Amino acid sequence: MTTSKQISRESLNALQARLQGAIIAPGDPGYDSARMAWNLSVQQFPAAVIMAADTADVAEAVRFARQAGLKVGVQATGHNVIRPADGSLLINTSQMAGVSVDAAARTARIEAGAQWGAVLAKTQAAGLAPLLGSSPGVGAVAYTLGGGLGWLARKYGLAADTARSFEVVTADGRTLHVSQNENADLFWGLRGGGGGFALVTAMEIDLFPVTTIFGGNLVYPAALAGEVLRRYREWIGSLPLEFTTSVALMNLPPLPMVPEFLRGKSVIMVRGCHCGAPEEGQALLQPWLDWQAPVANLFHPMPFSDVAQVSNDPHDPVPGHTTGAWLRDLSDSVLDTLVEYGVSNNGSSPLVSTEVRHVAGAMASGDRNAAAFPGRDQSFLLGAVGMAPTPELHARVVAFSNTFKRALQPHISGLYVNFVEGQEAREAAADSYPPETLQRLAALKAQYDPDHLLDYSYQFITGHDVA
Ligand SMILES: Cc1cc2nc3c(=O)[nH]c(=O)nc-3n(C[C@H](O)[C@H](O)[C@H](O)COP(=O)(O)OP(=O)(O)OC[C@H]3O[C@@H](n4cnc5c(N)ncnc54)[C@H](O)[C@@H]3O)c2cc1C
């Protein structure tokens, strides 16, 4: 496949002379790995990839794209490619991965390409924790721009609420500091509205004093799924905010990366992370153990630095499709639909994981006027993931996920932008926001990027009319 726009080698050479990082263009060795995303199902063919080394590189690349008539894409890891960067100048931030911690102020400054795992390591060394999500391989910045709900969500809330400031490069190549006091409109939009208004080069976030958790999974056979889901619904009603939990229907592939006792099996897992005293977490889990011995009880006290063990998300790149939604209730009808679509009987479901996270808690008390994030009153977050190693399987997972979500439609109360990707994210992200927030976000785009140069976001922001 060729790019829709070719840039001359001379102009790229001239740009290279102004950059610290490398430019990788079609035909160069390394182009095929530079254009890849963590999600291997994504195929994108940028006009060139800029491996940005610093903010000056990002600003230079944005100005170059404007002059060359190219759109701009940006990628830290490629966990959530909203619009493939076909024919665009793709700014890859993975080398801008600096993290510094101010232990006294309980803050961290995080560059655009840093992954949560690196942030976690640095902050835990200072006895502090960021509000990372389930996977340490996810980019900290884009996660935060979408809201950001992880294993401390009920107690400490949204990652977006922890952002104190952003450093950005705007579509006209300026660098701006963005906070409650400077460019406050942009600060509001970047906290939950995604990154389509300006390219974030770094952010400063608040940290929390969490070093030990009681976390893990109880594994039950999928045959008990209906009963486990009903017990889960009851159980969470009595849990304190220290306990963030989820319930996940898993159809585990017969692969070496899966523990042997789970390989090729369908199971239901009750997951959780309790950030209070471990013995309190243990006592709160006891009703499950009194009810029925699980196939495995993987809960134990652990350093927060090991929190990735709770979800055990894949670290290495995989081909997949993710979808999700806020669920307004866990009625019997919802639970039956989860079992119908989430448990695979002889290959009936191509989903690997169908998880409902219980997220009600601290995010509800965040300042509603301070951030564009629209989901503060939501309680239940559905995420469904299927593996898709071929285009045919990808199409099957997408079609199945769409049917699943149609079956749940009466109970869906909106989308969480971090849990939708690709075409669904482009076309349906507007369903995430109330009309007045949509209007305000569109006005921000018009103010900061009237020519729609930054082309990597949702359709209502980029103004695209093509899927
Ligand atoms: C395995 C897995 C686990 C996850 N767990 C959670 C979870 O627990 N909680 C949660 O809330 N979310 C979770 N997510 C969703 C995740 O937060 C989003 O996918 C997030 O957008 C990924 O960011 P990234 O930088 O890794 O990916 P990328 O694909 O690199 O970026 C994602 C989007 O942000 C844009 N972007 C990237 N960098 C910038 C920048 N510097 N400035 C402006 N825009 C930018 C990109 O153009 C793209 O549209 C998970 C996703 C996966 C795949």
Side-chain angles (χ1 to χ4, degrees):
M1 179 155 177
T2 54
T3 59
S4 57
K5 196 125 199 170
Q6 300 287 337
I7 341 171
S8 73
R9 183 53 71 175
E10 294 70 40
S11 62
L12 287 180
N13 288 345
L15 174 63
Q16 183 67 79
R18 304 195 294 276
L19 297 180
Q20 297 295 314
I23 303 176
I24 305 172
D28 288 347
Y31 176 75
D32 272 333
S33 69
R35 69 177 183 80
M36 291 310 288
W38 178 85
N39 183 346
L40 299 174
S41 299
V42 174
Q43 290 297 329
Q44 54 185 355
F45 296 88
V49 182
I50 310 288
M51 302 301 297
D54 54 23
T55 299
D57 277 3
V58 173
E60 198 66 65
V62 167
R63 287 193 291 265
F64 173 84
R66 179 175 286 285
Q67 277 161 13
L70 296 170
K71 299 281 188 184
V72 171
V74 58
Q75 177 173 307
T77 71
H79 272 77
N80 188 351
V81 176
I82 296 168
R83 182 181 301 283
D86 288 325
S88 311
L89 193 68
L90 178 60
I91 300 176
N92 182 308
T93 60
S94 59
Q95 292 176 11
M96 295 171 61
V99 179
S100 54
V101 176
D102 182 337
R106 291 190 175 173
T107 59
R109 180 181 181 277
I110 301 169
E111 288 186 349
Q115 298 177 13
W116 273 128
V119 181
L120 186 62
K122 278 259 170 85
T123 55
Q124 285 284 280
L128 295 167
L131 301 188
L132 79 162
S134 57
S135 167
V138 159
V141 163
Y143 166 97
T144 303
L145 297 173
L149 287 163
W151 282 119
L152 298 176
R154 296 194 65 227
K155 173 76 179 167
Y156 294 110
L158 273 183
D161 283 340
T162 72
R164 286 189 168 201
S165 65
F166 298 98
E167 293 157 38
V168 307
V169 169
T170 55
D172 53 7
R174 283 177 301 147
T175 52
L176 290 184
H177 195 254
V178 176
S179 70
Q180 215 159 10
N181 306 318
E182 297 157 278
N183 305 295
D185 50 351
L186 198 48
F187 188 58
W188 168 85
L190 291 173
R191 300 208 301 169
F197 318 100
L199 216 147
V200 175
T201 53
M203 65 178 180
E204 190 189 11
I205 60 163
D206 287 322
L207 302 170
F208 301 89
V210 178
T211 51
T212 308
I213 54 167
F214 176 74
N217 287 257
L218 297 177
V219 184
Y220 289 100
L224 293 175
E227 191 165 356
V228 169
L229 286 167
R230 281 161 176 79
R231 283 181 177 272
Y232 178 78
R233 179 177 61 193
E234 293 303 309
W235 181 59
I236 56 178
S238 62
L239 295 182
L241 295 183
E242 280 73 16
F243 217 161
T244 299
T245 66
S246 78
V247 62
L249 296 156
M250 307 287 294
N251 302 306
L252 293 144
L255 296 176
M257 60 160 87
V258 177
E260 201 173 346
F261 77 100
L262 292 174
R263 247 173 244 166
K265 301 251 167 63
S266 291
V267 294
I268 181 161
M269 296 185 175
V270 177
R271 293 190 165 144
C273 166
H274 180 266
C275 62
E279 51 286 5
E280 278 168 27
Q282 177 70 63
L284 291 162
L285 198 66
Q286 197 57 40
W288 286 102
L289 306 175
D290 293 343
W291 167 59
Q292 187 151 153
V295 177
N297 177 359
L298 306 174
F299 270 88
H300 60 282
M302 61 177 92
F304 188 64
S305 50
D306 287 346
V307 65
Q309 283 182 20
V310 177
S311 299
N312 219 356
D313 285 339
H315 186 267
D316 292 335
V318 288
H321 173 75
T322 299
T323 189
W326 302 114
L327 295 176
R328 61 168 56 92
D329 59 74
L330 293 185
S331 61
D332 284 352
S333 154
V334 169
L335 302 187
D336 291 343
T337 307
L338 294 176
V339 175
E340 185 185 342
Y341 287 85
V343 176
S344 184
N345 292 306
N346 300 318
S348 62
S349 173
L351 301 176
V352 175
S353 164
T354 304
E355 182 178 32
V356 177
R357 301 185 186 192
H358 180 218
V359 292
M363 70 172 173
S365 48
D367 182 351
R368 281 156 200 265
N369 298 318
F373 180 76
R376 293 193 188 279
D377 295 322
Q378 304 287 349
S379 296
F380 306 112
L381 175 57
L382 170 74
V385 181
M387 287 303 120
T390 63
E392 295 71 30
L393 283 171
H394 190 264
R396 180 176 175 228
V397 174
V398 172
F400 187 89
S401 303
N402 290 344
T403 312
F404 178 24
K405 283 178 80 173
R406 271 197 297 279
L408 284 173
Q409 199 55 49
H411 307 275
I412 288 179
S413 48
L415 297 179
Y416 172 45
V417 288
N418 274 4
F419 276 22
V420 285
E421 62 180 26
Q423 184 179 359
E424 185 178 21
R426 291 196 295 279
E427 295 177 358
D431 298 348
S432 314
Y433 301 97
E436 60 276 17
T437 307
L438 281 180
Q439 268 175 21
R440 227 175 131 184
L441 291 173
L444 259 191
K445 182 70 173 175
Q447 181 185 347
Y448 285 94
D449 183 18
D451 306 324
H452 297 117
L453 185 82
L454 310 180
D455 193 41
Y456 44 79
S457 192
Y458 318 116
Q459 204 154 297
F460 79 89
I461 289 175
T462 58
H464 265 273
D465 52 8
V466 274

